[in-house]
Amino acid sequence: MTADSAPYCEPADVDPLQALTPAEDAGGPRADCVLCGEPTEYPAGTAGATLCAVCAWQQAGRIACSG
């Protein structure tokens, strides 16, 4: 990397564990799982494809075994 070039993106100053943990919300609507439609533990305003615990576990198994 040369002195005049900057990194493509700067890493966020976020605790990784906090970023992966759903926010503790005292109620409100929950996001539906994009695969089965069941409510998840994530608030409805969560960005991205939300998965319930069962679908997330099955998806992780599929990815791990895709070899």
Side-chain angles (χ1 to χ4, degrees):
M1 192 151 112
T2 63
D4 60 351
S5 66
Y8 185 74
C9 61
E10 294 295 322
D13 189 25
V14 177
D15 177 26
L17 183 59
Q18 182 182 12
L20 296 173
T21 305
E24 291 296 325
D25 192 22
R30 295 293 177 191
D32 292 335
C33 176
V34 296
L35 297 178
C36 71
E38 292 294 319
T40 67
E41 63 219 24
Y42 299 101
T46 302
T50 54
L51 298 174
C52 68
V54 173
C55 290
W57 179 76
Q58 291 174 344
Q59 188 72 8
R62 286 187 206 106
I63 293 169
C65 295
S66 65

